[in-house]
Amino acid sequence: MINKRLLIKNLLAHHDESSFYDKKRQLNLHTREGKAKFLKHICALSNSNPSNNSYIVVGVEDHDNEIVGDDFFDDSRIQNLVNAYLENPPKIQYENVPFPNLPKDKVIGLVTIKPKKRTSFFKKGIHTIPINSIYIRRGSNTIPIEGEVEKNYQNSETVHGIENNSRNSIEYTLDGVIAFMNLSHKDISPKYKVFKELFVICWAGNYKKVGDNIFLSRVDIALINEQIKLFYSAQDVVTISYDDTTFTITEYVPLGLNDTTSYYPLEKQTLHFFDNGYYKIEREMLFEPPEFDKKTLFHVYNSNLSLLKKLESNIKLTANEFKDLENLPSIFMICYLNGFEEAKQKLIDARLLLKPFSAIYLSFKESLRILRKMKYDVQ
């Protein structure tokens, strides 16, 4: 079992960017340009590593390898984006890896691209990348080529060596449990559970009762063996259940108008643990968008558009307007889910206007996270 934090350290220490490894300050999958860049690197790394894993590390400064972190990114459907644009798409996995020096809401992202013999190429164009484009890695550069890819197997020994040096140990596991329970989460009721005498999950959060239900808010859940953060949200709530072989996280999203909020089930994530030292994660989307009165939505939507225009014009908001601004990300998300197709793009476009307001910007990121979970806009 690989300790992903140790793997990232070994990748950063062992090599600069290479034909099996790339690093990014952050990913931007909200725009076609950002998606195109990401897909280009996935295509190139896959084609250049037919017999070993390749990796992208997210949240690292390019010039000096400083670990600065990025937002928690839980889009299990990132594979759908790859499948939509690449022929012979590789299997990829995105994991969130906490580091001790980072704030609680920041992680290092680790994209693992599984080996695959067949050549990946673009089956449809995106941004400036035309259909049928093929990319490979040559050193630290991603370059287009024409014709068949010459398979290169020289990375296998190096990559396998790095992975073997990143294997987990009892010491790493115990250190991780102690740090989670006694240091980073001692004030919010941390708990742990051991599965199959091997896997350790730790979780912590604030318990809150809503009606007959007990939810956890400000939740942090980690698979300690691999140093993976399974869930983190500063706003949404979850319920947790488990037995001897499974651990289930059900996420709920708060939505409402006029100070009336209800919790709607969003996604269920179940980890299954096996005797042979493996586990798998199953995800089930549960969300059914609530329907609101269209006339009311039209009114609040236009009111929020007016707030954005005032921000653009540097007009100071009144106290009541600022309170309305706090709900803007949620309102735009509700409007989008109720047929206001332009509301999602309006929310994305408001990013820089909302960024100076830390709490509102947090709501902005949470709203986009939820929308991203539902479906990628790959058109």
Side-chain angles (χ1 to χ4, degrees), residues 131-299:
I131 189 172
N132 295 325
S133 296
I134 303 173
Y135 290 88
I136 62 168
R137 292 282 289 192
R138 186 163 292 165
S140 61
N141 297 315
T142 294
I143 60 172
I145 64 165
E146 294 183 2
E148 197 62 31
V149 174
E150 182 178 342
K151 298 301 181 182
N152 187 340
Y153 297 90
Q154 66 182 10
N155 290 328
S156 296
E157 185 175 345
T158 302
V159 174
H160 293 158
I162 291 173
E163 291 172 341
N164 287 332
N165 287 332
S166 305
R167 296 288 173 185
N168 199 43
S169 68
I170 293 177
E171 181 180 5
Y172 289 135
T173 300
L174 289 175
D175 286 345
V177 172
I178 292 170
F180 192 101
M181 301 290 291
N182 295 340
L183 298 177
S184 55
H185 300 86
K186 63 181 180 181
D187 57 336
I188 50 174
S189 305
K191 292 180 172 56
Y192 74 91
K193 168 72 177 173
V194 179
F195 298 88
K196 296 295 183 181
E197 300 181 342
L198 177 62
F199 303 95
V200 184
I201 289 184
C202 290
W203 69 95
N206 295 319
Y207 288 82
K208 59 188 296 184
K209 186 173 182 179
V210 180
D212 295 329
N213 298 312
I214 302 295
F215 295 107
L216 281 137
S217 62
R218 298 192 174 275
V219 187
D220 198 354
I221 307 172
L223 177 60
I224 299 298
N225 309 68
E226 295 192 354
Q227 286 296 338
I228 297 170
K229 193 183 287 266
L230 296 171
F231 185 88
Y232 179 83
S233 173
Q235 292 190 332
D236 290 358
V237 298
V238 305
T239 59
I240 290 173
S241 61
Y242 53 86
D243 54 28
D244 289 340
T245 60
T246 63
F247 184 89
T248 299
I249 307 161
T250 304
E251 181 183 0
Y252 295 76
V253 54
L255 291 174
L257 297 174
N258 301 323
D259 298 324
T260 301
T261 299
S262 298
Y263 290 92
Y264 298 88
L266 178 64
E267 184 181 46
K268 181 168 70 174
Q269 179 180 174
T270 302
L271 285 85
H272 298 266
F273 300 99
F274 303 99
D275 291 324
N276 60 1
Y278 288 90
Y279 71 93
K280 69 175 182 179
I281 300 177
E282 290 183 346
R283 293 179 172 89
E284 179 185 359
M285 203 65 183
L286 306 174
F287 190 67
E288 295 184 6
E291 293 186 6
F292 293 88
D293 178 70
K294 287 290 196 297
K295 186 176 180 180
T296 302
L297 285 179
F298 187 78
H299 172 72

Side-chain angles (χ1 to χ4, degrees), residues 301 305 308 332 342-351:
Y301 181 59
L305 288 176
L308 292 178
F332 274 41
E342 74 281 3
K344 180 180 176 182
Q345 190 58 50
K346 291 287 186 183
L347 179 60
I348 293 172
D349 293 342
R351 177 178 178 270

